[in-house]
Amino acid sequence: MTTIGLIGAGHIGSQLARAAIAHGHDVVLSNSRGPETLTDLIAELGPAARASTPAEAAEAADIAVVTTPVHAIGSVPAAPLAGKPVIDTNNYYSQRDGVIAELEDGSLTSSELLQRHLAGAHVVKAFNHIQAAAITAEAQDAGTPDRRALAVASDDEAAKATVAAFIDEIGFDVVDLGGLAEGWRVQPDTPGYGPRLTAAELREAAEAATRTAA
């Protein structure tokens, strides 16, 4: 049994919590508004879930998930995440996050920005190119023909393998894009962002992507 610690409990976070619990994991959820705002979600999820602060969720996590807007990266607690795999589901939207020069010019990806903030953690880009509802609705057993695939990118191979195993467990094939710098290949305005693709199709879409903003 693994504890998934979620920093952010919106659409993606709540769906990942549902998927994790369905496969026997515990979840600790947090958001910027306080544990008391998660009462209804915790009641739905049942005894395998509890609400806490972001720092407590990070401390409890075997695998952490950062699913907050890019502009909130600075509020993610760094110390308790040291040494842990951290799934980054974020995408950069300048209209929401403000203009971030390093992302606009492509010198960094949003996941590299998070990795810089979480210097001791092992960031893995994942779940940023799937609609939240599809995380549960489109999950299929391993070996299912034409199973949907999700991409991962990380500079740490062990963390990437841990997250890939979790993704496979909850219902998706995995396509390895390489290091964090390659995460842009499935970010907004690329062919891999959004549609349901098999592993072969997702690899093709990632290779066909052209660089815009991160």
Side-chain angles (χ1 to χ4, degrees), residues 116-210:
R116 187 168 69 184
H117 173 64
L118 302 178
H122 308 301
V123 173
V124 182
K125 186 75 167 187
F127 296 106
N128 70 299
H129 64 100
I130 182 173
Q131 292 183 339
I135 291 172
T136 53
E138 296 187 4
Q140 295 175 301
D141 292 337
T144 301
D146 297 322
R147 192 188 197 203
R148 182 169 183 169
L150 298 179
V152 294
S154 180
D155 295 336
D156 186 277
E157 292 299 322
K160 187 160 53 177
T162 296
V163 173
F166 174 70
I167 291 171
D168 178 60
E169 179 187 26
I170 67 169
F172 301 90
D173 286 346
V174 179
V175 170
D176 185 351
L177 299 179
L180 281 181
E182 296 301 309
W184 66 269
R185 293 185 177 277
V186 291
Q187 293 188 143
D189 302 320
T190 66
Y193 179 78
R196 185 195 187 286
L197 301 173
T198 64
E201 291 167 342
L202 183 55
R203 288 189 192 96
E204 183 178 347
E207 290 171 3
T210 55

Side-chain angles (χ1 to χ4, degrees), residues 30-199:
S30 66
N31 63 17
S32 61
R33 296 177 292 134
E36 66 279 0
T37 66
L38 296 170
T39 302
D40 290 346
L41 179 58
I42 297 300
E44 176 208 325
L45 294 173
R50 64 182 174 91
S52 69
T53 66
E56 290 166 343
E59 185 66 42
D62 297 307
I63 300 173
V65 181
V66 173
T67 180
T68 61
V70 171
H71 67 73
I73 281 174
S75 67
V76 177
L81 292 174
K84 297 181 179 183
V86 178
I87 297 172
D88 172 31
T89 75
N90 299 326
N91 289 304
Y92 167 59
Y93 303 103
S94 59
Q95 64 272 30
R96 178 196 66 187
D97 299 310
V99 175
I100 301 173
E102 292 165 305
L103 303 186
E104 289 289 329
D105 66 16
S107 58
L108 283 180
T109 65
S110 54
S111 292
E112 288 175 298
L113 199 65
L114 179 63
Q115 181 67 81
R116 187 168 69 184
H117 173 64
L118 302 178
H122 308 301
V123 173
V124 182
K125 186 75 167 187
F127 296 106
N128 70 299
H129 64 100
I130 182 173
Q131 292 183 339
I135 291 172
T136 53
E138 296 187 4
Q140 295 175 301
D141 292 337
T144 301
D146 297 322
R147 192 188 197 203
R148 182 169 183 169
L150 298 179
V152 294
S154 180
D155 295 336
D156 186 277
E157 292 299 322
K160 187 160 53 177
T162 296
V163 173
F166 174 70
I167 291 171
D168 178 60
E169 179 187 26
I170 67 169
F172 301 90
D173 286 346
V174 179
V175 170
D176 185 351
L177 299 179
L180 281 181
E182 296 301 309
W184 66 269
R185 293 185 177 277
V186 291
Q187 293 188 143
D189 302 320
T190 66
Y193 179 78
R196 185 195 187 286
L197 301 173
T198 64

